[in-house]
């Protein structure tokens, strides 16, 4: 078989693909992936998370070492004979081991596979790695709800189609694809250029109904030489941005689309959790914040909308997304929440409020046009916002170019002031 080699720089750095899984029950499958990667000239580093028995082959980190990193021992887990406890301990231990390996500069990529237990253990370990490190998880549950396993990290999940139980005609193809996928990611990884390291990274939040505004802001910031990350405000998008801010990856924010606050308040499916709109304030990075898509709460198909909302105003965005108009009282509360979160932060902050509409649907003659709702939101923010946080009133709707220009210009000024300070 022809050997393809990873870049010389990666070899010199000692980077390897870390394989994480149970070598007692999945040893044959891990050996297969290991062999495929080595045939591509890629070194591996194996972490055994098996509890039931001895590994099929010798790992680099034993199951007992993983168990001890998780606060127990393999003997204690076997004696306890409690699957739930064992999975919890090995999950904690595997994540701790991977973090240590990353700190030592060993991790070039990471791979895991298994059923529900194996997926849980490997997923937490993969989530512990920085964004950008290739992460692949072959799982029997990858065709369902993958959010618990992916979280806010760039984890690629591949559905195993059949159970991971031996090497056969189908599993051979799937696991080969997985190994070669990892090999490709490593072999084509471009080492970061010095110029890119010096580039300031900014975050922007966007929704379909705020796309014109976010696109113009992104283009204006990119013209000034900034590296701009755009996050889709679908719950996980907001969570991802907040996580990257906390990690120091983002140095400024144009938080145009704060719609996830509405889903958290009312119970929609795009809930980013209770900490949304807080990371920038804690990190003290410049932020310009607006009220994009606070006119709506998101649900799935029409039949999934809770019965308590049956008399509300809806708009069918697409076959799988149903939008519900926020009410005057909800906007009053959203304004209070919005202002309170900004008040508690320490970041240079400017609020931009588009008084003619907060989305493509909240405009004159459009389905969610709501002057009373916008006025309630505006008045509540104005009432609760700290006096030293500027609030810029715009007579246009959020997707008017003038609003985008104001958001971009305001952020650029904050960034420049922050740089001088």
């Amino acid at each position: 078989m022809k050997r393809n080699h990873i870049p010389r720089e990666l070899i010199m750095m000692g980077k390897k693909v870390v394989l994480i899984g149970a070598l007692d029950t999945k040893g044959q499958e891990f050996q297969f992936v290991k062999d495929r990667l080595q045939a591509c000239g890629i070194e591996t580093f194996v972490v055994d998370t098996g509890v039931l028995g001895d590994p099929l082959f010798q790992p680099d980190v034993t199951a007992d070492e993983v168990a001890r990193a998780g606060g127990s021992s393999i003997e204690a887990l076997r004696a306890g004979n409690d699957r739930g406890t064992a999975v919890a301990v090995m999950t904690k231990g595997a994540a701790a081991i991977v973090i240590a390996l990353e700190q030592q500069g060993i991790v070039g990529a990471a791979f895991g596979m298994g059923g529900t237990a194996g997926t849980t253990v490997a997923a937490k370990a993969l989530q512990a790695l920085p964004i950008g490190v290739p992460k692949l998880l072959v799982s029997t549950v990858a065709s369902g709800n993958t959010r618990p396993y992916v979280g806010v990290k760039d984890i690629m999940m591949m559905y195993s189609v059949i159970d991971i139980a031996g090497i056969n005609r189908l599993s051979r193809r799937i696991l080969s694809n997985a190994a070669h996928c990892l090999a490709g990611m490593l072999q084509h990884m471009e080492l970061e250029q010095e110029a890119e390291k010096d580039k300031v990274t900014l975050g922007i939040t966007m929704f379909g109904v705020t796309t014109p505004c976010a696109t113009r802001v992104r283009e204006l910031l990119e013209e000034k030489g900034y590296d701009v990350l755009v996050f889709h405000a679908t719950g996980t998008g907001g969570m991802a941005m907040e996580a990257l801010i906390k990690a120091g990856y983002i140095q400024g924010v144009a938080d145009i689309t704060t719609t996830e606050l509405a889903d958290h308040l009312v119970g929609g499916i795009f809930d980013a959790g209770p900490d949304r709109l807080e990371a920038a304030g804690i990190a003290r990075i410049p932020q310009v914040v607006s009220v994009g898509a606070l006119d709506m709460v998101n649900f799935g198909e029409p039949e999934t909308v809770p019965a308590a909302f049956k008399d509300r105003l809806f708009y069918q965005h697409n076959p799988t997304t149903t939008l519900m108009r926020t009410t005057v009282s909800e906007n009053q509360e959203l304004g209070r929440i919005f202002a309170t979160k900004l008040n508690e932060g320490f970041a240079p902050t400017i609020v931009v409020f588009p008084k003619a509409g907060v989305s493509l649907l909240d405009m004159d003659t459009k389905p969610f046009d709501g002057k009373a709702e916008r006025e309630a939101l505006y008045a509540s923010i104005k009432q609760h916002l700290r006096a030293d946080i500027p609030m810029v009133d715009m007579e246009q709707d959020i997707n008017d170019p003038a609003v985008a220009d104001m958001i971009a210009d305001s952020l650029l000024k904050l960034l420049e002031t922050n740089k001088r300070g």
Side-chain angles (χ1 to χ4, degrees):
M1 179 180 294
K2 182 179 179 181
R3 293 170 64 88
N4 298 312
H5 296 280
I6 57 178
R8 181 171 177 272
E9 293 87 347
L10 270 177
I11 296 173
M12 292 172 64
M13 292 166 63
K15 300 287 189 180
K16 301 178 181 181
V17 175
V18 177
L19 307 180
I20 307 155
L23 301 189
D24 51 0
T25 59
K26 309 297 180 191
Q28 185 181 10
E29 296 83 356
F30 274 99
Q31 182 69 66
F32 181 87
V33 173
K34 177 180 170 72
D35 291 344
R36 283 292 184 273
L37 287 168
Q38 290 178 336
C40 294
I42 296 174
E43 293 186 64
T44 60
F45 189 98
V46 182
V47 178
D48 182 17
T49 62
V51 173
L52 300 178
D54 296 331
L56 181 71
F57 62 91
Q58 186 61 35
D60 296 283
V61 177
T62 67
D64 186 54
E65 289 174 304
V66 175
R68 291 184 185 280
S72 184
S73 68
I74 203 67
E75 293 83 4
L77 294 179
R78 288 174 179 170
N81 195 30
D82 186 312
R83 181 178 174 85
T85 298
V87 171
V89 168
M90 299 309 274
T91 298
K92 181 180 178 182
I97 293 291
V98 167
I99 290 172
L101 294 174
E102 168 64 19
Q103 291 172 345
Q104 295 167 30
I106 291 173
V107 185
F111 172 83
M113 66 174 151
T116 53
T119 300
T120 298
V121 173
K124 289 300 180 184
L126 269 56
Q127 287 177 15
L129 292 169
I131 288 175
V133 175
K135 312 168 188 69
L136 179 57
L137 185 52
V138 177
S139 171
T140 61
V141 294
S143 68
N145 176 19
T146 60
R147 184 171 182 175
Y149 309 115
V150 175
V152 296
K153 293 298 180 71
D154 53 340
I155 296 172
M156 179 186 299
M157 292 192 72
M158 179 183 291
Y159 183 41
S160 63
V161 183
I162 56 175
D163 203 352
I164 300 171
I167 301 301
N168 51 58
R169 181 180 180 183
L170 185 55
S171 67
R172 182 184 303 275
R173 181 70 272 155
I174 290 170
L175 295 180
S176 291
N177 287 344
H180 295 147
C181 179
L182 275 174
M185 284 191 277
L186 276 173
Q187 289 164 349
H188 296 89
M189 183 179 289
E190 296 181 4
L191 298 178
E192 196 172 85
Q193 300 297 314
E194 287 301 318
E196 292 177 339
K197 289 182 180 179
D198 296 333
K199 212 170 188 181
V200 174
T201 299
L202 307 177
I204 289 180
T205 50
M206 185 174 80
F207 223 33
V209 292
T210 60
T211 296
C213 177
T215 299
R216 185 173 176 87
V217 171
R218 174 182 60 79
E219 291 171 347
L220 291 169
L221 294 174
E222 287 176 342
E223 286 176 4
K224 296 297 183 179
Y226 289 95
D227 187 33
V228 183
L229 310 180
V230 181
F231 297 88
H232 196 195
T234 56
T236 52
M239 292 169 66
M241 185 179 76
E242 302 274 326
L244 286 171
I245 291 170
K246 291 176 184 176
Y249 203 90
I250 294 173
Q251 292 81 50
V253 180
D255 204 344
I256 297 164
T257 312
T258 47
T259 184
E260 291 153 321
L261 297 178
D263 280 51
H264 182 69
L265 174 67
V266 183
I269 61 173
F270 291 159
D271 179 1
D275 300 330
R276 178 72 175 90
L277 197 58
E278 296 178 8
I282 295 170
R284 301 172 184 258
I285 63 171
Q287 62 175 343
V288 176
V289 188
S290 193
V291 290
L294 281 178
D295 57 325
M296 60 188 64
V297 178
N298 296 265
F299 295 103
E301 296 86 349
E303 59 270 18
T304 68
V305 178
F309 299 130
K310 63 182 178 66
D311 296 326
R312 297 281 292 270
L313 175 61
F314 295 97
Y315 179 80
Q316 200 64 41
H317 184 62
N318 59 48
T320 59
T321 306
T322 306
L323 310 179
M324 182 177 76
R325 185 51 163 108
T326 51
T327 64
V328 167
S329 61
E330 287 167 354
N331 275 278
Q332 289 171 338
E333 180 62 10
L334 284 169
R336 186 194 66 79
I337 293 169
F338 181 98
T340 300
K341 285 178 177 287
L342 297 182
N343 291 345
E344 292 174 350
F346 304 96
T349 302
I350 294 174
V351 175
V352 175
F353 195 102
K355 300 179 80 171
V358 303
S359 82
L360 287 173
L361 295 180
D362 179 35
M363 298 164 56
D364 186 32
T365 74
K366 298 300 181 181
F368 280 0
D369 180 28
K371 184 177 180 181
E373 289 85 354
R374 290 195 299 277
E375 288 178 347
L377 179 63
Y378 176 84
S380 184
I381 294 174
K382 198 80 170 175
Q383 176 188 349
H384 294 99
L385 193 64
R386 258 182 17 218
D388 62 313
I389 298 178
M391 183 166 171
V392 180
D393 301 349
M394 301 291 292
E395 296 304 320
Q396 301 87 346
D397 69 86
I398 196 166
N399 290 300
D400 189 286
V403 174
D405 292 350
M406 176 59 70
I407 291 172
D409 289 345
S410 297
L411 183 56
L412 289 169
K413 288 175 183 176
L414 288 181
L415 289 165
E416 185 59 32
T417 301
N418 198 57
K419 186 192 302 182
R420 290 198 301 267

